[in-house]
Amino acid sequence: MNVPHRGFWPVLGVLRFLLAMWVLFDHTYNFGPAERAIPVLTRSGLMAVMCFFVISGFSIHHSIATRPAGYFRRRLLRIFPLNALAVLIGWFGWSVLGLSGGYGTPAVPPSAWQFIGCIFLLEAFFPIMIGFLYPAWSLSIEAVYYLLAPLFRKLEGRPHIPALMIVSGLLFVAWPLLRNEYVAGRNSYWLTGIVMLWCWLAGWVAYANAGNRRYLAWLGIAGLASIATQARFFDVTNVSSAAVNGVAWIGTLMLVFYRIGDVGGRVAAVLDYLGEISFPLYILHYPVLFVVSSSLFKAHPNLNYGITQVAISLVAAILAYHLVDRPLRQPKATLAQAARAWRGRFAGRRGELSEAAPRLGTTS
């Protein structure tokens, strides 16, 4: 009864893409001169991450409820390869190429332990975050939520989940009283995971309680209260920045509670595709921009514009999706099968080039 209609998922996918672009636009201020960055209404991506968590909780509830078999395998293939690729890009740029001096360069050289810990998403437990892998902080927390999903499934219909949401939500609203620092500061994120659990569970309960006005109202109030108590963390400096945060939160809740939107055909295919590249865009853009800013932009600073950063990040995300993410997430795919697919793809490309060479010769 709770399964959303097929035409709703592309709408959710394009929302994920827009949230990823929100984060990317904000981060153009971190990798270049502010006057060249993408103009934004708020220079904080915290609300985008909160909305990501809502969508994740909704999607994970659907995944484990409709296809419990192979749940952990699907989650592993979804997050581990691209996260490992992000760490590999950062490690290769820092340790092999010796890149530094550009935007995103860590103040303290990262250790081998930090790289290994980041591969396995241990940022949620240990203070190992590396500056150029920063977006992984939310993924490390989300991975813990994935592990807890079977437990939440067993607690369905009991008061435990609402109780957890109340405690977590109150802690999040009161965060400035607990710590005078950004909730996503570069430390261990175990406490951040506790105080942001309610955002993820908001999506979880939305899946099982479609159209529930009571949940919707309380969650909406909690989000707006969080914006009020943590205005500086949401970069609320005027009416516009407050509005964009509030509208994003309420809009995301409305979307998942009422399953707004029903598209099909080519439009659905385009929106699905944008949703698919949203995760590689989110997790890869920071290490990619670190490498680029410490090499290309360092040698040619005139190229360092926000729009250039966005274009490079999108290309990297598309390539990662087609060469890494999609092959590994095929039904019953194995690493060996993915490797054969990669070889076949590149072999096919070489074949096309070799066939094209005689044709080019005759036309000349």
Side-chain angles (χ1 to χ4, degrees):
M1 293 178 61
N2 294 317
V3 177
H5 47 79
R6 174 64 185 89
F8 171 69
W9 294 106
V11 177
L12 211 57
V14 75
L15 177 58
R16 288 201 311 269
F17 176 76
L18 292 175
L19 293 172
M21 291 296 287
W22 177 348
V23 173
L24 174 57
F25 286 176
D26 284 336
H27 287 166
T28 60
Y29 288 85
N30 298 351
F31 286 96
E35 63 273 14
R36 295 184 180 182
I38 301 293
V40 292
L41 292 175
T42 169
R43 288 175 59 178
S44 170
L46 180 57
M47 178 53 69
V49 174
M50 289 173 63
C51 295
F52 269 134
F53 279 169
V54 173
I55 297 171
S56 174
F58 185 92
S59 303
I60 293 304
H61 199 160
H62 174 78
S63 177
I64 201 169
T66 58
R67 290 195 299 158
Y71 164 74
F72 284 115
R73 177 182 180 276
R74 294 195 304 273
R75 290 299 91 207
L76 180 67
L77 290 178
R78 177 55 171 160
I79 65 173
F80 184 79
L82 287 177
N83 178 68
L85 178 61
V87 177
L88 180 63
I89 291 171
W91 170 83
F92 188 79
W94 178 267
S95 301
V96 178
L97 299 181
L99 298 178
S100 63
Y103 292 92
T105 298
V108 179
S111 65
W113 156 244
Q114 285 179 276
F115 281 111
I116 294 171
C118 287
I119 286 179
F120 293 101
L121 292 169
L122 298 181
E123 297 96 325
F125 303 101
F126 304 104
I128 58 172
M129 176 59 69
I130 300 173
F132 49 70
L133 301 176
Y134 180 57
W137 74 266
S138 62
L139 182 61
S140 67
I141 292 173
E142 200 171 354
V144 177
Y145 298 161
Y146 292 164
L147 294 174
L148 294 174
L151 173 60
F152 295 144
R153 181 71 174 150
K154 291 181 179 180
L155 296 176
E156 208 78 71
R158 300 181 185 181
H160 300 76
I161 290 180
L164 283 172
M165 294 174 68
I166 291 172
V167 173
S168 174
L170 288 174
L171 289 173
F172 188 76
V173 172
W175 177 263
L177 302 177
L178 303 175
R179 289 190 174 186
N180 186 29
E181 64 177 20
Y182 184 43
V183 71
R186 295 174 184 177
N187 300 300
S188 56
Y189 292 99
W190 63 271
L191 183 57
T192 308
I194 293 173
V195 302
M196 295 194 73
L197 176 61
W198 70 282
C199 300
W200 194 86
L201 287 176
W204 180 274
V205 301
Y207 185 86
N209 299 272
N212 189 305
R213 295 181 180 178
R214 182 176 298 179
Y215 267 126
L216 179 60
W218 282 112
L219 288 167
I221 292 171
L224 296 179
S226 301
I227 296 171
T229 61
Q230 302 184 56
R232 64 192 177 107
F233 298 149
F234 288 97
D235 193 43
V236 175
T237 57
N238 50 39
V239 174
S240 297
S241 54
V244 72
N245 281 289
V247 169
W249 178 249
I250 300 298
T252 300
L253 290 178
M254 293 285 292
L255 190 71
V256 295
F257 270 98
Y258 289 103
R259 288 91 186 279
I260 300 171
D262 186 1
V263 297
R266 293 184 178 180
V267 173
V270 171
L271 300 189
D272 275 331
Y273 184 78
L274 293 177
E276 290 291 351
I277 66 172
S278 62
F279 176 55
L281 180 64
Y282 177 78
I283 199 65
L284 292 178
H285 76 274
Y286 228 77
V288 166
L289 291 180
F290 159 69
V291 169
V292 173
S293 69
S294 297
S295 55
L296 177 64
F297 291 163
K298 188 177 179 181
H300 304 280
N302 58 306
L303 298 177
N304 191 0
Y305 282 85
I307 190 64
T308 313
Q309 297 174 30
V310 170
I312 292 172
S313 299
L314 283 170
V315 170
I318 292 170
L319 290 175
Y321 170 67
H322 285 283
L323 299 179
V324 178
D325 188 34
R326 187 177 178 181
L328 286 176
R329 290 197 295 126
Q330 295 298 319
K332 297 183 179 180
T334 64
L335 289 176
Q337 290 170 337
R340 286 196 294 270
W342 293 330
R343 287 197 298 269
R345 185 168 300 177
F346 287 117
R349 180 61 179 163
R350 287 196 298 269
E352 292 174 5
L353 292 175
S354 63
E355 291 175 3
R359 293 197 297 271
L360 290 173
T362 55
T363 55
S364 61

